[in-house]
């Protein structure tokens, strides 16, 4: 109800709705409430501590970056001055493999008792005699043979190399001296050229003709199973001396020859190392003919 009061400068208002109730907080409640909400000073202190930790981490990271950059600059400066020589571990522990991965080799099959074409697969391992063994892929189908002794392997035939090849069958079988005119290792075939068996001088002439590119008079295809390596006195060969020194040059001093047995049965050759010393006997599996394998007499 509004009553205009005469003689007074104010208006009285009576608003219905019941009395107004005000909730009063005790001192204890205010203390507990203050504990639930951190003060401004606490928040500032916490933020300041986090900033300090962030600065410490940034300083540590900067120190690491500066240290790495300084070391790199020092390494570059020393390298430019020639004070640093980088040597890999392989160079420090140099190993001279008898054969390289994928290299063609001759493989003696004890099962078939014949010589076959093969390829090296991987690196060597050493057997109980400290001699290298290899995994090889044998024959046209490349059947895998593992841990094959180097005594069952020999270097692949090369063009122009002196060889023996087997001719005929039964009682008419005989071994003839020849030159490998061309070797087709993947097929296990050697194109051979017969030579006069009267002496080694003819062998030298035949080899010289092949190396000069002249066409041989007559050749024939002979499988690996009927071919074996031939060593000629005074010819230059390479001898495998081990993983420390690898293949080393030598001169053939003596080769055992006889018509009573197959030349394939010759397992030792006497050679003279070119570095000096006394002649030594070496197993044929460790001897390889070279391009200059025959010297004129």
């Amino acid at each position: 109800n509004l009553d205009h009061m005469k003689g007074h400068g104010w208006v009285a208002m009576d608003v219905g709705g019941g009395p107004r109730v005000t909730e009063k907080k005790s001192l204890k409640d205010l203390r507990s409430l203050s504990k639930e909400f951190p003060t401004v000073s606490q928040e500032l202190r916490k933020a300041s501590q986090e900033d300090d930790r962030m600065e410490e981490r940034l300083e540590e990271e900067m120190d690491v970056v500066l240290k790495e950059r300084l070391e790199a600059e020092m390494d570059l400066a020393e390298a430019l001055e020639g004070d640093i020589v980088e040597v890999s571990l392989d160079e420090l522990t140099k190993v001279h493999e008898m054969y390289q991965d994928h290299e063609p080799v001759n493989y003696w099959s004890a099962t078939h008792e014949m010589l076959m074409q093969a390829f090296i697969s991987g690196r060597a391992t050493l057997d109980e005699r400290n001699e290298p063994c290899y995994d090889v892929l044998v024959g046209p189908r490349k059947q895998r043979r593992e841990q094959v002794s180097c005594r069952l392997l020999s270097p692949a035939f090369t063009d122009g190399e002196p060889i023996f090849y087997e001719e005929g069958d039964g009682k008419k079988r005989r071994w003839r001296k020849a030159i490998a005119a061309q070797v087709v290792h993947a097929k296990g075939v050697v194109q051979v050229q017969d030579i006069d068996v009267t002496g080694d001088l003819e062998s030298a002439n035949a080899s010289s003709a092949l190396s000069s590119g002249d066409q041989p008079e007559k050749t024939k295809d002979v499988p690996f199973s009927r071919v074996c390596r031939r060593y000629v006195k005074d010819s230059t060969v390479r001898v495998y001396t081990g993983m420390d020194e690898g293949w080393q040059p030598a001169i053939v001093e003596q080769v055992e020859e006889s018509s009573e047995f197959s030349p394939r049965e010759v397992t030792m050759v006497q050679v003279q190392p070119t570095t000096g010393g006394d002649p030594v006997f070496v197993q044929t599996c460790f001897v390889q003919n070279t391009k200059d394998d025959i010297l004129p007499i």
Side-chain angles (χ1 to χ4, degrees):
N1 296 320
L2 296 178
D3 296 327
H4 296 278
M5 303 297 297
K6 296 180 180 181
H8 297 278
W10 51 272
V11 178
M13 178 182 293
D14 184 12
V15 179
R20 192 188 322 176
V21 180
T22 302
E23 182 180 357
K24 296 183 179 180
K25 294 286 185 180
S26 64
L27 181 61
K28 182 178 180 181
D29 294 334
L30 291 175
R31 289 177 178 176
S32 62
L33 185 63
S34 64
K35 293 181 180 180
E36 294 177 0
F37 299 97
T39 64
V40 175
S41 60
Q42 290 176 341
E43 289 292 334
L44 292 175
R45 188 181 302 109
K46 182 178 180 181
S48 177
Q49 292 175 351
E50 290 179 354
D51 291 341
D52 293 340
R53 286 195 294 268
M54 180 66 71
E55 289 180 358
E56 291 177 358
R57 285 197 297 268
L58 290 175
E59 289 177 357
E60 292 175 356
E61 291 176 358
M62 288 298 296
D63 290 341
V64 172
V65 172
L66 291 175
K67 183 179 180 181
E68 292 177 350
R69 183 177 299 176
L70 180 61
E71 290 176 351
E73 291 176 353
M74 292 177 61
D75 293 342
L76 178 60
E78 292 178 356
L80 293 175
E81 293 176 358
D83 295 332
I84 294 180
V85 178
E86 292 186 1
V87 180
S88 65
L89 182 61
D90 292 338
E91 293 176 342
L92 292 174
T93 58
K94 185 67 174 179
V95 174
H96 298 273
E97 291 271 4
M98 188 173 184
Y99 302 111
Q100 302 299 320
D101 189 20
H102 304 299
E103 182 177 348
V105 292
N106 297 338
Y107 167 78
W108 175 257
S109 172
T111 303
H112 300 92
E113 294 187 350
M114 59 184 292
L115 200 66
M116 303 177 67
Q117 74 272 31
F119 292 89
I120 297 295
S121 177
R123 302 186 63 177
T125 57
L126 299 180
D127 59 14
E128 64 277 0
R129 292 177 292 197
N130 207 33
E131 293 179 352
C133 297
Y134 289 91
D135 293 349
V136 294
L137 305 177
V138 180
R141 297 183 179 180
K142 294 186 177 181
Q143 295 180 340
R144 190 176 187 85
R145 298 289 185 272
E146 296 182 349
Q147 299 296 301
V148 177
S149 170
C150 63
R151 295 172 182 259
L152 297 177
L153 304 174
S154 59
F157 296 122
T158 57
D159 297 351
E161 179 179 357
I163 58 171
F164 288 102
Y165 78 94
E166 193 176 34
E167 183 182 59
D169 295 304
K171 294 182 179 181
K172 295 183 179 180
R173 179 178 300 179
R174 63 172 182 165
W175 288 91
R176 297 179 61 88
K177 290 182 179 181
I179 296 292
Q182 184 177 5
V183 180
V184 186
H185 187 85
K187 295 182 178 180
V189 173
V190 179
Q191 291 183 0
V192 303
Q193 178 190 1
D194 270 320
I195 62 173
D196 192 341
V197 296
T198 57
D200 290 334
L201 182 59
E202 287 78 8
S203 301
N205 294 335
S207 180
S208 299
L210 286 172
S211 61
S212 63
D214 296 341
Q215 288 294 112
E217 296 180 358
K218 183 180 179 181
T219 61
K220 63 180 73 174
D221 292 345
V222 180
F224 274 22
S225 59
R226 286 177 171 259
V227 179
C228 72
R229 182 164 274 115
R230 180 166 61 92
Y231 301 99
V232 180
K233 189 178 185 302
D234 296 327
S235 65
T236 304
V237 295
R238 295 197 310 157
V239 177
Y240 186 73
T241 59
M243 289 191 170
D244 291 336
E245 298 183 358
W247 294 93
Q248 297 295 325
I251 304 296
V252 176
E253 286 282 330
Q254 180 182 347
V255 181
E256 185 178 3
E257 293 188 30
S258 175
S259 58
E260 298 179 357
F261 58 84
S262 164
R264 191 171 283 160
E265 297 177 11
V266 177
T267 59
M268 302 289 288
V269 177
Q270 188 181 41
V271 299
Q272 172 67 56
T274 58
T275 55
D278 297 330
V280 293
F281 282 95
V282 182
Q283 290 188 329
T284 54
C285 61
F286 298 111
V287 181
Q288 179 183 23
N289 285 326
T290 66
K291 293 296 183 181
D292 301 325
D293 46 13
I294 303 177
L295 301 177
I297 299 176

